[in-house]
């Protein structure tokens, strides 16, 4: 049995590959996904027109005209026709996008912040704090999301703020749950131990190591929730629990135009089409993001 | 040489569904500038010993007894801020699998700089130049560009070098290495070992190097402590252990090495498996597998017999025969 020591040090020169940052890589992969790109373009156009609606020179969405009621698509002056009170549909759809997108995105963003915080605490601290947060979450989870939203909105009364609150409450539990499970799995990984071994305190570890690795998956999940949130908020308005007339909002428009479905079905279907297209685009985009962001190793 | 780290009668017990007595009375000391290899098979308590120095064991389920002193300070009494200052600045650790021990979402440079900023409060620019300096010292080629690389863009050997750079960035006096070469292939393993040895001499660090590979221990260590079932069965300099193994377990380990194996014949493995350690050992833990076990071995734990400075064997066979 012989053991030998090797005295000379051996260094092999390897040229470094050009490095790309994480987000540059995501963009590179996303660029080759036509479906996601088209959806992103449609969404951007929607968001743009909704944001700048008052400056784009559309007709007033609130002024109707009794003689121009329920004009079909393609009417002179009203490209997409008019609704049951003679208001311009194109203008109402674009103005409606403002509220609908606002109601679709804001609750998810709020729930994202609150849910991520709760999930991080539960996942990182563990023990009885975890049990407390997760069991409360489970209670909310036991209700179907639409039913829960209707119940809370019903209890609070109709109105934009109330539907924002109820939708936020609906979306906190799923985000908390995802954040908790990702945090709990990240917490056990070697690099958290390594960070601790380099002198990082708990707060630093949560802020840098855990949040850095948890944010991606939660973000993707939250994007997919946006379409659900939009549909539920439209549903609340449809049921008269959300936005009140005469505000233009897709769900509410769908409800008020319901009666016109036999007279002018195409115009009546337009708000539904908008909801459908927007939520489809959100879903496909979040799908594309999910695969583009999934690069670990 | 004065001792930098002194471990006295360390015991670690994990409670939970199953109680495990992972460490049962380990005493060690490492001098300044010395490399000590902890040698033993899986589950012998090598990594647990390292992690208890760093206090990285899960607090709620772990009971630690005994004493660990670093440069005269009681390590186990450190808490909060003092503990965080101690970790990374006085003692640093490198892990077995660098692909798991580096954070995947930050570049190498950022991770090193973060540690430097944490301990030395320097500016981001200064920390970054320190990171570059460290990458050069661990001989990562084209270090400037590697600084902005993410761990998944590097090879295994390169990642382990980056891990070493991260650990040594604040000039620790003690480096704990938890099987840092196990996840690497043989040629890269040798490069990393040589690098570690060089850096250790350059920076005059003490190193506790955990390994199950006696060949690796030979390359890097001055002294070896052989662990079995949470106890130290034999300590000595590397040449003493290789040339004159006293404990039957050490002999078995050496015999199980591939060097000198005859083709076609079976390897001399040690029969049996290590104990499960649900109870603290009351007899020699190796007795059930020991070829030269005596009845007395099963009655009490063998005493640690000193045979010269820094040389000790925990075996009844080493005791002077009572006359």
């Amino acid at each position: 049995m012989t053991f030998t020591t090797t005295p000379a040090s051996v260094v092999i020169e390897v040229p470094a590959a050009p490095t790309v940052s994480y987000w540059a890589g995501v963009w590179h992969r996303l660029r080759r996904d036509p479906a996601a790109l088209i959806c992103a373009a449609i969404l951007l156009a929607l968001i743009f027109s909704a944001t700048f609606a008052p400056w784009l020179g559309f007709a007033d969405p609130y002024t109707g005209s009794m003689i121009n009621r329920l004009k079909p698509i393609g009417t002179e002056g009203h490209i997409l026709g008019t609704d049951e009170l003679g208001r311009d549909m194109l203008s109402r759809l674009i103005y409606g996008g403002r509220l609908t997108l606002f109601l679709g995105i804001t609750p998810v963003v709020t729930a994202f912040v609150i849910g991520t915080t709760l999930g991080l605490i539960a996942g990182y601290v563990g023990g009885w704090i975890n049990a407390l947060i997760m069991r409360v979450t489970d209670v909310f989870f036991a209700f179907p999301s639409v039913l829960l939203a209707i119940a809370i909105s019903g209890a609070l009364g109709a109105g934009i703020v109330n539907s924002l609150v109820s939708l936020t409450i609906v979306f906190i539990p799923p985000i908390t749950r995802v954040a908790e499970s990702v945090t709990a799995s990240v917490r056990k990984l070697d690099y958290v131990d390594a960070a601790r071994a380099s002198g990082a305190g708990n707060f630093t570890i949560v802020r840098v190591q855990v949040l850095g690795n948890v944010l991606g998956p939660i973000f993707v999940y939250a994007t997919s929730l946006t379409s659900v949130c939009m549909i539920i908020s439209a549903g609340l308005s449809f049921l008269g629990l959300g936005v009140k007339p005469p505000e233009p909002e897709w769900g509410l428009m769908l409800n008020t135009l319901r009666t016109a479905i036999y007279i002018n079905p195409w115009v009546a279907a337009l708000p539904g089409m908008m909801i459908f297209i927007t939520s489809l685009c959100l879903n496909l985009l979040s799908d594309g993001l999910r695969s583009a962001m999934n690069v670990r190793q | 040489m004065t001792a930098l780290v002194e471990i006295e009668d360390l015991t670690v017990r994990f409670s939970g569904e199953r109680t495990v007595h992972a460490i049962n009375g380990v005493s060690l000391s490492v001098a300044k500038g010395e490399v000590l290899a902890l040698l033993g098979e899986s589950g012998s308590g090598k990594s647990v010993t390292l992690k208890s120095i760093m206090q990285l064991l899960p607090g709620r389920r772990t009971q630690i007894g005994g004493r660990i002193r670093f440069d005269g300070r009681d390590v186990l009494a450190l808490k909060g801020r003092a503990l965080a200052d101690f970790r990374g600045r006085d003692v640093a650790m490198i892990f077995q699998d660098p692909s798991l021990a580096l954070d995947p979402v930050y570049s190498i440079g950022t991770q090193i700089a973060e540690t430097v900023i944490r301990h030395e409060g320097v500016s981001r620019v200064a920390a970054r130049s320190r990171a570059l300096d460290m990458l050069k010292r661990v001989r990562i080629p084209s270090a400037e560009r590697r600084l902005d690389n993410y761990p998944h863009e590097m090879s295994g050997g390169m990642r382990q070098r980056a891990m070493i750079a991260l650990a040594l960035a604040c000039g620790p006096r003690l480096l704990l290495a938890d099987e840092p070469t196990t996840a690497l292939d043989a040629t890269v393993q040798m490069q990393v070992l040589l690098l570690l040895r060089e850096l250790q001499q350059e920076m005059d660090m003490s190193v506790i190097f955990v390994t199950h590979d006696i060949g690796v221990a030979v390359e890097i260590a001055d002294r070896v402590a052989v662990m079995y079932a949470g106890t130290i069965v034999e300590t000595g300099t590397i040449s003493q252990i290789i040339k004159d193994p006293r404990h039957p377990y050490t002999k078995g380990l050496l015999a199980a090495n591939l060097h000198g194996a005859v083709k076609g014949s079976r390897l001399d493995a040690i029969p049996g498996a290590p104990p499960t350690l649900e109870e603290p050992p009351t007899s020699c833990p190796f007795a059930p597998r020991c070829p030269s076990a005596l009845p007395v071995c099963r009655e009490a734990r063998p005493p640690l017999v000193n045979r010269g400075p820094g040389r000790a064997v925990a075996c009844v066979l080493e005791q002077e025969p009572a006359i």
Side-chain angles (χ1 to χ4, degrees), chain B residues 93-307:
Chain B
M93 185 157 180
I94 48 183
F95 291 78
Q96 178 169 351
D97 191 345
S99 59
L100 299 175
L102 291 167
D103 195 324
V105 296
Y106 298 98
S107 67
I108 297 298
T110 314
Q111 294 190 42
I112 300 177
E114 190 84 33
T115 311
V116 177
I117 292 170
R118 161 70 184 81
H119 286 292
E120 299 180 9
V122 294
S123 73
R124 203 152 271 281
V125 178
R128 203 177 148 80
S129 82
R130 169 80 68 81
L132 179 64
D133 189 42
M134 286 315 296
L135 288 192
K136 284 181 179 156
R137 280 183 86 167
V138 296
R139 295 206 207 86
I140 286 184
S142 31
E144 285 87 355
R145 283 158 77 191
R146 286 296 181 190
L147 210 51
D148 292 318
N149 267 185
Y150 289 83
H152 70 266
E153 295 173 300
M154 303 173 109
S155 69
M158 194 112 57
R159 270 182 227 153
Q160 192 57 283
R161 282 168 196 267
M163 186 78 225
I164 294 171
L166 175 62
L168 301 187
C170 293
R173 284 184 287 166
L174 174 67
L175 178 69
L176 306 176
D178 191 355
E179 307 202 31
T181 56
T182 312
L184 307 174
D185 64 51
T187 50
V188 181
Q189 187 170 341
M190 190 52 73
Q191 293 172 21
V192 169
L193 283 178
L194 291 168
L195 175 73
L196 266 179
R197 188 67 169 157
E198 266 181 50
L199 290 171
Q200 179 263 329
Q201 276 159 359
E202 228 173 271
M203 301 172 75
D204 197 28
M205 276 185 308
S206 307
V207 178
I208 302 182
F209 193 99
V210 159
T211 179
H212 57 250
D213 184 344
I214 199 158
V216 167
V218 169
E219 291 288 345
I220 191 123
D222 302 312
R223 238 158 32 88
V224 179
V226 182
M227 287 194 76
Y228 184 78
T231 57
I232 289 187
V233 293
E234 182 165 4
T235 56
T237 64
I238 187 76
S239 59
Q240 284 169 338
I241 297 283
I242 298 296
K243 295 199 182 104
D244 182 27
R246 305 301 305 178
H247 196 281
Y249 178 64
T250 318
K251 288 177 190 168
L253 271 187
L254 287 167
N257 203 289
L258 281 175
H259 294 276
V262 182
K263 192 179 177 192
S265 67
R266 287 189 70 88
L267 290 170
D268 296 323
I270 307 173
T276 54
L277 294 177
E278 283 172 2
E279 298 288 322
T282 50
S283 58
C284 174
F286 189 59
R289 301 169 78 186
C290 183
S292 34
L294 300 172
V296 63
C297 295
R298 299 181 212 282
E299 281 158 20
R301 282 178 66 172
L304 200 63
V305 184
N306 273 308
R307 298 180 58 90

Side-chain angles (χ1 to χ4, degrees), chain A residues 232-280:
Chain A
I232 298 180
S233 78
L236 286 180
S237 301
F238 183 88
L239 293 173
L241 289 168
V243 178
K244 277 175 270 183
E247 293 297 329
E249 201 274 348
W250 294 343
L252 184 65
M253 287 160 71
L254 201 60
N255 186 19
T256 52
L257 281 168
R258 196 163 42 113
T259 45
I261 195 116
Y262 297 109
I263 308 162
N264 204 337
W266 292 108
V267 170
L270 278 174
M273 287 297 292
M274 293 303 286
I275 296 173
F276 171 71
I277 290 171
T278 315
S279 66
L280 185 71

Side-chain angles (χ1 to χ4, degrees), chain A residues 39 71 74-75 97 143 166 175 193 209 217-218 249 266 275:
Chain A
C39 291
K71 292 283 181 198
T75 311
F143 299 97
S166 75
I175 292 178
D193 261 357
Q209 268 71 33
I218 309 178
E249 201 274 348
W266 292 108
I275 296 173

Side-chain angles (χ1 to χ4, degrees), chain B residues 18-41:
Chain B
R18 212 162 65 90
T19 304
V20 176
H21 297 260
I23 305 282
N24 304 294
V26 161
S27 298
L28 276 176
S29 76
V30 184
K32 285 200 172 86
E34 184 185 45
V35 181
L36 173 78
L38 278 184
L39 191 66
E41 60 195 297

